[in-house]
Amino acid sequence: MTTFADQTFTPPELIRNFCVIAHIDHGKSTLADRMLQLTGVLDERSYRAQYLDRMDIERERGITIKAQNVRLPWQVNGVDHVLHLIDTPGHVDFTYEVSRALDACEGAVLLVDAAQGIEAQTLANLYLALEKDLRIIPVLNKIDLPAAEPDRYAAELAHILGCQPDDVLRVSAKTGQGVRELLDVVVEQVPAPVGDSAAPTRAMIFDSVYDSYRGVVTYIRVVDGRIVPRERIRMMSTGVTHELLEVGIISPDQKPCDGLGVGEVGYLMTGVKDVRQSRVGDTITSERGGATVALPGYRSPKPMVFAGLYPMDGSDYPELRDALDKLRLNDAALSYAPETSVALGFGFRCGFLGLLHLEITRDRLQREFGLDLISTAPNVVYRVVRDEGSEQIVTNPADWPDGKVAQVYEPVVRCTVIAPAEFVGTIMELCQGRRGTLLGMDYLSASRVELRYTLPMAEIVFDFFDALKSRTRGYASMDYEEAGEQIADLVKVDILLQGEPVDAFSAIVHREAAYGYGTSMVTRLRELIPRQQFEVPIQAAIGSRIIARETIRAMRKDVLAKCYGGDITRKRKLLEKQKEGKKRMKTIGRVEVPQEAFVAALSTDTRK
């Protein structure tokens, strides 16, 4: 057997593919760091904390956004094994990344903070792993903390998984305690990958990135056959063929190798610059004698939240389109379509999995591609049924039908909240205030409770998570998943400037919340829009009914400055003349709304 980096094909029985799943901040990335150091792929000189979090935005926020994979050598009983570790995100908005990572694995390390216990998003990821029939290895992390209660939370984990408390491993990713034993357990318990090395080549694309120097870099997991450099491959969904310029492994950075066999995870490059030719979930096979049946692929993610993204400078529109193309290669959950706004010009209507996903995407477009963007207020997808029976899908308030509406259906989610028992009343009050319906409640232990609610997606999109955290002093955790749709009493609120609607400020809200939205928006715009030469009314309206109004007073020149003493009729004459001029100006005047006003009024922070 040659050196590790140059090894051609590893027998499948010596390979273990596993991922680490956990809630945010339970120590996934720190555990991955210890594994990199223990297995010797990362020396002290090149070490840095959260090594697999490659993006600046991940390191700044302290969260994992992209699932990262790395190849580790490990020896058990004198036998060399190859471990493929995938470090996954913990936030609910990036569950799609987790589900794709699980498809490339046979086992999962379920990591739980020994000071906090199992959280809602940990449970959600655990159920995903059980659906894929993965071998679960329960692990308690941070046992070195003074507040750690490993016995209590080991019993809680054992109760959920149906195992014994002694089966739960105890580690400290920070100090390295127990990590060596965990790697041994991974080799012992995680099944080896199954595949046929003699069958036609089939490899699954589970991720891809765009490199401005080398083109598209595609990450794959080989299921059958083998892949070697310089052979010609075919993408089964499009039928496009390419020559493989480079095949390699990630250990911990990209290293070219002589090929990949059954069960191995690595990357390949074809020099292709067109990002549309490397779709996540596609199957790669050989051009000659290739497979005829593609692998199942991944279920396409369904956008939950929509918002418009517009360049500050209209001439940046082509750059925004190219940037979205490249970003979608790396983020398969992002969807977009061109749209125009009277107020903002040309832009894109983008679909996201949640508000954090929207925020991260906007940040990445600004950092990685140097774009200045305005994002419109986020909203969810509605199904509107008109009086005559026709249906319309509405992702943008501007698409709301003008005629009579018979019914409006809004998306709902099944929300799981785990919190200390003392906060049950507070959580119920919050959920009921957001039109929630209680589905059930279970005590995980004497002091921790799980509540399940059905909530409208629109109610949790903005500030539900922040409100939940503040009301429970940060102890509650939350997860949600799609749960169909329900009929709701929704209306479109238009904001009018001098009687003309401004489409960028329109919103679809529940009828009970319409007045609150209208008054807050007109009040904010009165402060943001500068005074004009004439009086400008700002109104909020539902259809033809005005529900709120503010007025921007006109700038006035002191026409009486030169009048001192004398007859009052001269002063009145001058004032009347000025009034007539303002009235005439108002009929032909157009209200100029500065760019800063759009940015401030539409920022998600101020809408909370």
Side-chain angles (χ1 to χ4, degrees):
M1 195 180 269
T2 52
T3 61
F4 184 77
D6 301 324
Q7 183 183 339
T8 311
F9 300 113
T10 307
E13 58 271 15
L14 298 180
I15 297 172
R16 300 291 184 271
N17 297 322
F18 73 103
C19 61
V20 182
I21 54 176
H23 189 77
I24 306 160
D25 204 30
H26 278 207
K28 294 182 299 298
S29 298
T30 309
L31 180 64
D33 289 347
R34 291 296 82 74
M35 289 178 173
L36 289 172
Q37 287 179 304
L38 261 179
T39 53
V41 298
L42 194 60
D43 56 32
E44 289 302 320
R45 190 179 61 178
S46 27
Y47 170 74
R48 65 167 195 265
Q50 275 78 46
Y51 189 87
L52 292 181
D53 289 345
R54 308 286 170 96
M55 290 190 282
D56 290 342
I57 193 167
E58 290 180 310
R59 306 183 68 76
E60 282 172 24
R61 288 172 177 253
I63 58 171
T64 302
I65 294 165
K66 285 295 299 170
Q68 298 286 353
N69 73 90
V70 65
R71 178 175 172 131
L72 311 168
W74 190 245
Q75 197 175 74
V76 177
N77 301 327
V79 180
D80 289 326
H81 289 79
V82 169
L83 309 181
H84 288 129
L85 158 70
I86 301 183
D87 180 26
T88 63
H91 196 279
V92 62
D93 279 17
F94 304 109
T95 303
Y96 183 64
E97 288 282 329
V98 180
S99 70
R100 282 175 16 207
L102 295 176
D103 273 340
C105 300
E106 280 78 37
V109 170
L110 179 69
L111 199 65
V112 173
D113 188 327
Q116 293 181 18
I118 200 154
E119 305 271 22
Q121 285 160 25
T122 322
L123 271 183
N125 290 340
L126 168 62
Y127 295 146
L128 276 176
L130 290 172
E131 276 175 32
K132 311 272 185 194
D133 206 21
L134 300 192
R135 177 74 178 85
I136 308 294
I137 300 172
V139 179
L140 282 175
N141 188 23
K142 306 188 184 181
I143 56 168
D144 57 312
L145 290 181
E149 298 178 77
D151 293 337
R152 174 186 167 192
Y153 293 123
E156 205 173 272
L157 261 173
H159 170 67
I160 290 166
L161 290 170
C163 62
Q164 296 302 314
D166 294 343
D167 297 335
V168 180
L169 299 177
R170 301 176 186 203
V171 305
S172 168
K174 188 177 179 182
T175 64
Q177 179 187 344
V179 178
R180 191 176 293 277
E181 292 77 8
L182 170 58
L183 288 171
D184 288 342
V185 170
V186 166
V187 172
E188 289 165 19
Q189 296 191 9
V190 174
V194 177
D196 184 355
S197 56
T201 301
R202 290 198 303 172
M204 171 73 80
I205 301 176
F206 69 88
D207 204 359
S208 45
V209 292
Y210 184 81
D211 186 303
S212 50
Y213 298 104
R214 302 193 288 178
V216 177
V217 181
T218 305
Y219 295 107
I220 59 161
R221 150 89 192 255
V222 181
V223 177
D224 293 320
R226 54 188 59 186
I227 281 186
V228 292
R230 295 297 165 191
E231 75 168 324
R232 289 197 69 82
I233 56 163
R234 175 165 54 88
M235 305 289 183
M236 291 191 74
S237 68
T238 58
V240 179
T241 61
H242 305 288
E243 184 185 358
L244 281 181
L245 302 180
E246 187 180 308
V247 175
I249 57 170
I250 295 126
S251 181
D253 298 308
Q254 292 176 355
K255 295 180 183 175
C257 69
D258 297 337
L260 299 171
V262 170
E264 290 192 275
V265 175
Y267 72 91
L268 51 88
M269 288 184 209
T270 58
V272 171
K273 297 283 185 184
D274 184 359
V275 295
R276 296 178 192 85
Q277 292 188 14
S278 189
R279 287 179 43 232
V280 168
D282 199 356
T283 303
I284 291 175
T285 188
S286 307
E287 185 184 15
R288 290 185 184 173
T292 52
V293 180
L295 294 163
Y298 304 117
R299 190 181 66 196
S300 294
K302 188 178 173 186
M304 306 282 272
V305 176
F306 283 83
L309 289 181
Y310 293 85
M312 288 269 203
D313 182 350
S315 62
D316 286 341
Y317 176 77
E319 283 81 2
L320 176 59
R321 185 184 57 223
D322 292 344
L324 284 167
D325 271 350
K326 288 169 184 170
L327 200 62
R328 193 179 191 289
L329 180 74
N330 191 235
D331 182 0
L334 174 67
S335 64
Y336 56 92
E339 74 167 2
T340 53
S341 159
V342 176
L344 302 175
F346 291 99
F348 290 91
R349 193 80 190 159
C350 302
F352 307 94
L353 297 180
L355 217 56
L356 180 67
H357 188 204
L358 184 161
E359 208 178 309
I360 296 293
T361 302
R362 191 175 60 201
D363 270 14
R364 288 185 68 188
L365 287 167
Q366 289 172 338
R367 285 163 182 262
E368 296 173 26
F369 302 97
L371 293 164
D372 281 329
L373 301 172
I374 298 175
S375 64
T376 62
N379 62 274
V380 297
V381 191
Y382 301 102
R383 183 162 65 90
V384 181
V385 181
R386 290 194 185 89
D387 263 5
E388 77 274 10
S390 62
E391 284 188 9
Q392 185 175 339
I393 301 296
V394 175
T395 59
N396 185 348
D399 299 336
W400 191 265
D402 295 327
K404 278 199 169 185
V405 170
Q407 288 173 327
V408 182
Y409 291 86
E410 67 175 346
V412 292
V413 294
R414 180 191 162 96
C415 182
T416 304
V417 178
I418 295 179
E422 64 195 90
F423 297 115
V424 168
T426 312
I427 294 166
M428 285 183 159
E429 185 187 342
L430 173 65
C431 292
Q432 281 157 9
R434 301 297 179 101
R435 301 188 283 132
T437 307
L438 181 66
L439 296 174
M441 186 169 79
D442 288 316
Y443 278 83
L444 300 175
S445 63
S447 58
R448 274 158 54 89
V449 67
E450 176 190 342
L451 295 107
R452 293 179 301 281
Y453 268 89
T454 299
L455 282 158
M457 180 75 187
E459 294 287 346
I460 65 168
V461 139
F462 277 116
D463 61 343
F464 181 81
F465 188 63
D466 292 350
L468 178 69
K469 284 288 184 188
S470 63
R471 291 187 186 207
T472 59
R473 302 204 299 272
Y475 284 109
S477 67
M478 171 191 123
D479 181 69
Y480 62 84
E481 61 181 5
E482 291 176 68
E485 57 184 14
Q486 69 180 17
I487 294 175
D489 186 11
L490 301 171
V491 291
K492 177 190 175 188
V493 178
D494 283 314
I495 304 297
L496 315 176
L497 286 183
Q498 213 181 328
E500 289 295 316
V502 182
D503 58 350
F505 297 135
S506 298
I508 299 164
V509 296
H510 194 267
R511 194 178 294 275
E512 290 175 4
Y515 176 72
Y517 173 78
T519 49
S520 67
M521 205 65 179
V522 296
T523 306
R524 193 174 316 135
L525 287 172
R526 183 172 65 85
E527 295 163 3
L528 293 169
I529 297 173
R531 289 171 73 180
Q532 314 281 318
Q533 292 283 354
F534 46 89
E535 189 179 86
V536 178
I538 308 171
Q539 298 165 311
I542 300 172
S544 57
R545 185 164 63 90
I546 305 298
I547 57 169
R549 172 179 169 137
E550 290 283 350
T551 305
I552 300 172
R553 310 304 302 177
M555 287 193 291
R556 293 180 72 88
K557 180 184 174 186
D558 187 2
V559 292
L560 306 181
K562 58 190 175 186
C563 300
Y564 45 92
D567 190 2
I568 188 69
T569 53
R570 185 170 177 228
K571 293 183 182 179
R572 282 183 183 149
K573 190 176 169 186
L574 285 167
L575 287 170
E576 285 298 322
K577 191 176 176 184
Q578 184 187 43
K579 199 174 178 182
E580 284 299 315
K582 295 279 185 197
K583 197 180 286 182
R584 189 169 64 253
M585 194 183 288
K586 190 174 181 178
T587 60
I588 58 170
R590 184 172 177 271
V591 183
E592 291 297 327
V593 183
Q595 200 82 291
E596 299 77 46
F598 280 110
V599 175
L602 296 173
S603 71
T604 50
D605 300 332
T606 54
R607 289 172 60 83
K608 287 179 181 176

